[in-house]
């Protein structure tokens, strides 16, 4: 087409083509210059910029994916933390309940012990008191016998020292003492 | 008497009438279309520029003829 | 008069020769763009920061904008993305290259710094009394060292030829030679032997002409816009010095962007059209509407 058009223009009216400044050498030099521009941009210029754009796209996509992954991880982690916390709370509750139960049992045991000891002590005391009372009563009755014999001997001015009398008085005192106690 | 200046003036003056009307009509219709259908604005704008290029080429031919008459003897 | 209306020359001037090879001022503009592009891409991709800043951010923004543009036309499905990957280098190179080449126009010194055109001085029997600066009657006796590359029709024809030939190659490789050639030589509809078939065959033949017209219109559109832009800047610098260009330089920057966009967008559409055979047309209006809605929804998302 170049070969046809340029001579065609040149032949049809050499004046016109000369006036417009069209000539083969200038045409070819401009064609080659533009070819160089096209080749450079096509091979080096545009790929460089498109590569930058694609790199940025990749980086941004990666960033967005990472952010989403982090978000997902965070959700998971917080769910797990929640779970752990609930577990711990439940365990603590159980432990506390167990401890309370144990303490209750211990308290009951201690109370029972104390009751038993108190009972035992009371019984011991009562027994001792009774023992003491018996001894005191015996002492008292002997004293009363002696006293009544002394008094009777004074009254009757004679010694009531016979064994028979003594036995008599003791029997009397004892029976009166029993009657008094009843 | 040299009538070259007259020829040059008539060539570009008469040659510019048609494209002038054409560009006016095209622009008016384009604005009309954008007013009716604003979402189609990018498409209308692109096609408007293409039409503008074709219309304006006529005026450029007239200009070229004027140059040829003036400078080429 | 401080200065004269600058000379308007369509053809680029030869500045110097390397051996027998003439170097024109537009070719120097092309080389400047190559250097700027090399610097931009070198410094833009040198530090591959994860958080881009400054130049790297800007380059990434442009590349993403162009990728989005290509995918909007080819479609965002699996097949469309594969096509977008194939089309992207050419479309993006055209956009960035044309944008920079156009923007050179508004740099101070472009079109206004150069060698003194001794031939013009000799013709006017004038000498240059002002040293490095030209004033008054001889102010247009200059051969600028650098001109915007896109004000050279050679470059524009080179680019538009590359585009049309690439679209033909893409058509041959994706549709297969038979299907692709049947777009232009539509014997299938000719042998229906009715009026409609004949018309379709004729339209197919006309498409060959329209392919050639594409080369011309792509090249002349870019050339006309940018050349007219630089002429407008020069003329207004003459009519209303210092002030008028405050308005026109931003406008030229806008034009530079729009022309780069149109050139690359048309390239993209030619490539996309080349991959589509003339399949069954939508039967009814409703179907066509549904198809449009589908396409629009796909494009909007």
């Amino acid at each position: 087409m170049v070969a046809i058009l340029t001579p065609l223009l040149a032949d049809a009216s050499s004046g016109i083509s000369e006036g417009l400044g069209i000539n083969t050498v200038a045409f070819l030099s401009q064609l080659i210059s533009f070819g160089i521009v096209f080749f450079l941009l096509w091979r080096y210029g545009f790929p460089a910029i498109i590569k930058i754009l694609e790199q940025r796209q990749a980086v941004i996509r990666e960033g967005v994916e990472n952010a989403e992954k982090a978000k997902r991880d965070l959700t998971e982690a917080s769910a797990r933390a929640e779970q752990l916390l609930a577990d711990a709370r439940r365990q603590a509750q159980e432990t506390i309940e167990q401890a309370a139960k144990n303490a209750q049992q211990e308290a009951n045991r201690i109370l029972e012990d104390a009751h038993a000891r108190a009972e035992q002590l009371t019984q011991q005391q009562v027994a001792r008191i009774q023992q003491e009372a018996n001894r005191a009563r015996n002492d008292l009755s002997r004293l009363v016998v002696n006293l009544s014999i002394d008094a009777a001997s004074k009254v009757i001015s004679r010694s009531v020292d016979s064994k028979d009398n003594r036995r008599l008085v003791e029997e009397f005192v004892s029976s009166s003492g029993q009657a008094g106690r009843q | 008497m040299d009538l070259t200046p007259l020829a040059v003036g008539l060539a570009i003056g008469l040659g510019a009438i048609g494209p002038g009307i054409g560009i006016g009509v095209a622009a008016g219709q384009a604005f009309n279309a954008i007013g009716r259908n604003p979402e189609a604005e990018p498409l209308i704008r692109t096609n408007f520029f293409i039409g503008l290029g074709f219309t304006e080429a006529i005026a450029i031919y007239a200009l070229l003829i004027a140059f040829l008459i003036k400078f080429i003897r | 008069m401080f200065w004269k209306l600058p000379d308007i020359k369509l053809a680029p001037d030869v500045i110097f020769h390397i051996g027998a090879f003439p170097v024109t001022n537009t070719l120097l503009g092309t080389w400047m763009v190559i250097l700027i592009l090399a610097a931009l891409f070198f410094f833009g991709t040198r530090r591959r920061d994860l958080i881009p800043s400054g130049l790297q951010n800007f380059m990434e923004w442009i590349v993403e904008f162009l990728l989005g543009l290509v995918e909007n036309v080819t479609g965002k499905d699996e097949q469309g993305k594969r096509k977008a990957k194939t089309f992207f280098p050419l479309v993006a190179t055209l956009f960035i290259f044309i944008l920079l080449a156009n923007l050179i126009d508004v740099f101070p010194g472009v079109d206004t710094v150069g060698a003194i055109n001794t031939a013009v001085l000799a013709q006017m029997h004038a000498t240059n009394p002002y040293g490095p600066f030209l004033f008054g009657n001889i102010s247009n006796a200059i051969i600028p060292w650098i001109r915007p590359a896109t004000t050279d029709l050679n470059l524009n024809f080179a680019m538009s030829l590359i585009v049309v030939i690439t679209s033909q190659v893409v058509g041959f490789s994706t549709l297969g030679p038979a299907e692709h050639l049947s777009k232009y030589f539509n014997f299938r509809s000719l042998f229906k032997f009715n009026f409609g078939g004949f018309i379709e065959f004729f339209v197919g033949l006309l498409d060959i002409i329209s392919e050639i017209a594409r080369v011309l219109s792509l090249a002349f559109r870019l050339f006309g816009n940018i050349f007219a832009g630089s002429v407008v800047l020069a003329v207004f610098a003459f009519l209303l010095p210092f002030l008028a260009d405050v308005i026109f330089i931003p406008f030229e920057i806008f034009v530079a962007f729009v022309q780069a966009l149109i050139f690359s967008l048309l390239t993209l559409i030619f490539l996309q059209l080349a991959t589509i055979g003339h399949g069954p047309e939508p039967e009814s209006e409703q179907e066509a509407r549904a198809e449009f809605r589908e396409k629009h929804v796909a494009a909007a998302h």
Side-chain angles (χ1 to χ4, degrees):
Chain A
M1 202 132 186
V2 183
I4 300 168
L5 198 76
T6 320
L8 194 123
L9 275 172
D11 286 347
S13 165
S14 61
I16 287 179
S17 93
E18 198 184 308
L20 293 178
I22 297 172
N23 62 64
T24 319
V25 176
F27 176 81
L28 285 179
S29 60
Q30 293 282 16
L31 186 70
I32 290 165
S33 299
F34 180 74
I36 291 169
V37 174
F38 176 57
F39 181 78
L40 288 181
L41 289 192
W42 177 39
R43 279 276 169 240
Y44 306 107
F46 295 132
I49 286 181
I50 287 174
K51 208 165 97 192
I52 294 175
L53 290 176
E54 276 170 358
Q55 267 174 0
R56 171 150 346 107
Q57 213 174 7
V59 166
I60 288 172
R61 192 183 297 128
E62 199 179 311
V64 169
E65 271 168 13
N66 277 347
E68 265 171 17
K69 189 162 162 286
K71 212 161 133 190
R72 225 166 33 234
D73 283 358
L74 185 67
T75 323
E76 258 172 38
S78 66
R80 217 168 44 229
E82 198 99 325
Q83 175 84 27
L84 280 175
L85 209 63
D87 276 3
R89 206 172 284 136
R90 198 163 42 73
Q91 261 176 15
Q93 194 65 35
E94 270 173 15
T95 313
I96 288 170
E97 274 170 11
Q98 188 69 36
K101 221 158 70 190
N102 286 351
Q104 192 64 41
Q105 274 176 2
E106 188 70 15
N108 285 347
R109 199 176 56 77
I110 288 168
L111 211 60
E112 272 168 23
D113 268 14
H115 277 307
R117 278 267 290 281
E119 194 70 23
Q120 203 184 345
L121 272 175
T122 317
Q123 278 173 3
Q124 275 178 4
Q125 292 298 335
V126 168
R128 219 177 65 209
I129 287 167
Q130 265 174 356
Q131 219 176 346
E132 290 285 314
N134 285 341
R135 212 184 56 203
R137 201 176 290 127
N138 285 346
D139 282 355
L140 192 63
S141 60
R142 202 160 44 243
L143 195 62
V144 168
V145 168
N146 286 343
L147 212 60
S148 35
I149 289 174
D150 280 350
S153 62
K154 283 273 178 36
V155 170
I156 58 181
S157 300
R158 65 167 186 155
S159 173
V160 193
D161 210 14
S162 68
K163 278 189 181 170
D164 299 340
N165 290 341
R166 191 169 191 91
R167 205 186 62 236
L168 260 169
V169 173
E170 272 178 7
E171 275 172 6
F172 168 73
V173 169
S174 151
S175 68
S176 71
Q178 277 194 342
R181 261 165 73 191
Q182 273 170 1
Chain B
M1 193 170 130
D2 186 13
L3 288 180
T4 311
L6 182 67
V8 171
L10 282 179
I12 184 63
L14 293 177
I17 293 174
I21 294 170
I23 289 173
V25 169
Q29 291 293 325
F31 296 150
N32 210 342
I34 292 171
R36 281 168 193 276
N37 193 358
E39 308 98 75
E41 201 246 326
L43 191 71
I44 294 169
R45 189 180 42 197
T46 311
N47 287 328
F48 170 63
F49 271 120
I50 295 166
L52 211 61
F54 283 122
T55 319
E56 178 208 53
I58 315 288
I60 299 300
Y61 297 154
L63 181 73
L64 200 74
I65 297 298
F67 279 143
L68 287 179
I69 295 169
K70 176 117 176 70
F71 297 113
I72 294 166
R73 285 143 221 270
Chain C
M1 277 291 191
F2 284 125
W3 38 68
K4 280 170 77 176
L5 187 62
D7 252 350
I8 297 167
K9 264 180 293 189
L10 294 174
D13 298 303
V14 176
I15 304 295
F16 59 88
H17 288 77
I18 300 176
F21 177 71
V23 177
T24 58
N25 43 15
T26 49
L27 191 60
L28 279 181
T30 310
W31 290 351
M32 249 182 86
V33 172
I34 294 178
L35 288 182
I36 293 172
L37 268 179
L40 276 181
F41 272 87
F42 177 73
F43 290 109
T45 60
R46 191 180 45 165
R47 298 170 48 210
R48 305 186 162 187
D49 287 341
L50 196 57
I51 298 159
S53 58
L55 190 61
Q56 191 191 344
N57 206 353
F58 178 69
M59 298 306 289
E60 285 180 13
W61 175 75
I62 283 198
V63 168
E64 281 199 321
F65 162 73
L66 290 170
L67 262 177
L69 187 80
V70 175
E71 281 182 4
N72 250 341
V73 173
T74 59
K76 304 223 163 167
D77 51 344
E78 195 62 35
Q79 198 198 358
K81 287 217 163 143
R82 214 176 49 241
K83 260 199 258 175
K85 221 171 187 177
T86 322
F87 296 165
F88 175 74
L90 182 60
V91 175
T93 306
L94 282 171
F95 180 82
I96 295 177
F97 179 78
I98 293 173
L99 180 62
L100 276 176
N102 293 352
L103 282 179
I104 281 198
D105 200 3
V106 298
F107 270 66
V110 173
D111 272 341
T112 50
V113 173
I116 290 164
N117 193 343
T118 45
V120 174
L121 281 186
Q123 202 178 8
M124 287 161 55
H125 305 294
T127 49
N128 175 27
Y130 306 113
F133 300 105
L134 293 172
F135 279 115
N137 280 336
I138 59 162
S139 66
N140 58 359
I142 192 168
I143 300 171
W145 280 330
I146 291 171
R147 252 176 75 173
T150 40
T151 58
D152 184 354
L153 269 171
N154 294 303
L155 175 66
N156 298 348
F157 270 122
M159 288 192 297
S160 60
L161 271 175
I162 285 174
V163 167
V164 172
I165 289 171
T166 310
S167 79
Q168 292 299 315
V169 170
V170 166
F172 271 113
S173 66
T174 53
L175 297 177
E179 174 75 15
H180 184 69
L181 283 177
S182 77
K183 273 189 195 169
Y184 304 112
F185 303 102
N186 200 345
F187 292 118
R188 217 177 305 156
S189 44
L190 181 66
F191 290 132
K192 282 185 207 157
F193 291 115
N194 57 14
F195 185 66
F198 181 72
I199 293 286
E200 270 182 45
F201 179 76
F202 189 65
V203 167
L205 287 182
L206 275 183
D207 276 350
I208 300 174
I209 297 171
S210 87
E211 291 291 336
I212 295 168
R214 274 177 188 176
V215 178
L216 295 174
S217 79
L218 271 181
F220 279 124
R221 177 181 304 115
L222 185 57
F223 169 76
N225 270 287
I226 306 310
F227 188 79
S230 75
V231 169
V232 163
L233 287 185
V235 168
F236 273 96
F238 162 74
L239 289 178
L240 189 59
F242 309 118
L243 295 178
D245 281 352
V246 174
I247 299 162
F248 281 100
I249 283 178
F251 179 69
E252 285 313 316
I253 292 173
F254 170 72
V255 168
F257 182 79
V258 167
Q259 288 310 313
L261 187 67
I262 284 179
F263 199 103
S264 50
L265 209 56
L266 285 177
T267 302
L268 186 56
I269 285 164
F270 293 159
L271 290 175
Q272 169 73 5
L273 284 180
T275 61
I276 300 169
H278 48 173
E281 310 249 316
E283 295 271 319
S284 65
E285 197 189 347
Q286 264 184 340
E287 244 176 84
R289 260 189 207 163
E291 205 169 84
F292 170 79
R293 201 170 301 130
E294 223 169 81
K295 223 169 144 190
H296 161 227
V297 166
H301 288 287

